[in-house]
Amino acid sequence: MDLIKALKQELIGEAETTRKFLKLIPEDKYDWAPHEKSMKMQHLAVHIAELPSWIALAVDTDELDFAVSGYSPKSCANNEELLSMFEASLQQGNEALNKVRLEDLEKRWVLRQAENILWDGTKYGMIRLAFSQTSHHRAQLGVYLRLLNIPIPGSYGPSADEAKF
């Protein structure tokens, strides 16, 4: 099995599903959240749009230290900008997979806040985490859309809103 080829194929498949969800976000609900502990819809959508670039982060670096680099969420004025942000992030992830060597995937990668280790694994593990985060947060977005009575697209098969069973 060609692991890097499999990761590239997964990235393409996840991107197709993610695009379907991002296109459905009502721009007039960017500041909406279903609960006080939930992210605002725009923040969640931007995070989802940025996740493919985590592949490049995993390939090109050995760690991310929030105490050094910090994180400032981007914003967008509309869905066109959001989708453009997603496509740029997707390109970064794809380019990283085009250049990574199989042996590089075994190297250590750490996510930290100064001395506090938040995640410690391999570059491959961080790439997998980016995919997992995409699925996780896209599912959250699906709940947001459901609560706004917006039909949900299928992810890994048809949804209850699609008459394709």
Side-chain angles (χ1 to χ4, degrees), residues 142-153:
V143 171
Y144 285 35
L145 297 173
R146 171 67 71 220
L147 291 172
L148 293 171
N149 293 313
I150 297 170
I152 308 301

Side-chain angles (χ1 to χ4, degrees), residues 31 69 84 106 133 146 154:
D31 289 328
S69 300
S84 178
E106 297 174 20
Q133 286 286 302
R146 171 67 71 220

